[in-house]
Amino acid sequence: MTTAPRFESKILSPDACRQMLAQGGLPRPWVFTNGVFDILHRGHVTYLDQAAQLGGSLIVAVNTDASVRRLGKGADRPLNTCADRAALLAALACVDAVTWFEEDTPLELIQALRPDMIVKGGDYDMDLLPETAAVRGWGGSAVAIPFEHERSTTALLHKIRQ
């Protein structure tokens, strides 16, 4: 008899994630981050673990495949489907919930979930993001985590293709 991997229970539709949070399903404060996470690497997992340490629970939202294509990362991106990227993230011990967003930015999802904190990588100026204004509007905070390991999926793909 085979059983479903335990981590799959952490993958939630945006509405299911909102409902779970509304019912107190995760310890607060809720930390929210988002990204493509196309090929998971050391930079990603270091960043995610550091983000998780800032609160009680870490919620990660991934861009859907259509959203990734609109980012202009390349004609063949994403390499991994949204479902596969969500599964890899959910398998990480530091991640408490994984969801997704169709739009170009996660603003609508953030407004629905109302996290206590949003976190981005060190290359973002948090004061310029509309997501920051939204979270601060209900008393939350926004943090940029400096990169500890200079890695990127784009650089990795360039190396592979050489």
Side-chain angles (χ1 to χ4, degrees):
M1 176 171 112
T2 58
T3 57
R6 293 176 293 178
F7 64 79
E8 287 188 0
S9 66
K10 295 195 284 185
I11 303 170
L12 305 167
S13 71
D15 192 51
C17 189
R18 184 194 55 74
Q19 289 175 10
M20 187 251 317
L21 294 176
Q23 296 168 358
L26 288 178
R28 293 190 95 136
W30 301 327
V31 177
F32 176 98
T33 194
N34 67 280
V36 175
F37 302 103
D38 199 2
I39 298 177
L40 207 55
H41 53 68
R42 186 177 186 178
H44 288 141
V45 297
T46 300
Y47 162 79
L48 291 169
D49 191 69
Q50 290 171 337
Q53 292 179 54
L54 296 173
S57 301
L58 178 61
I59 303 155
V60 181
V62 294
N63 298 70
T64 62
D65 297 346
S67 177
V68 173
R69 285 190 285 277
R70 289 192 304 272
L71 291 175
K73 289 183 172 280
D76 59 348
R77 301 283 301 275
L79 298 173
N80 288 298
T81 66
C82 182
D84 287 345
R85 291 179 282 123
L88 288 175
L89 290 163
L92 298 174
C94 63
V95 174
D96 296 288
V98 179
T99 191
W100 56 86
F101 61 100
E102 300 271 351
E103 300 77 21
D104 292 346
T105 73
L107 180 59
E108 188 177 317
L109 179 60
I110 288 168
Q111 290 171 327
L113 299 181
R114 296 179 63 90
D116 301 299
M117 177 185 293
I118 59 168
V119 177
K120 297 291 277 180
D123 55 340
Y124 283 88
D125 182 343
M126 299 305 286
D127 291 331
L128 299 179
L129 298 176
E131 297 92 330
T132 295
V135 173
R136 287 180 178 160
W138 57 73
S141 61
V143 174
I145 296 177
F147 292 125
E148 188 170 317
H149 301 283
E150 289 297 322
R151 306 282 192 281
S152 80
T153 300
T154 302
L156 183 58
L157 285 173
H158 179 73
K159 184 176 180 180
I160 291 168
R161 291 174 175 155
Q162 285 184 331

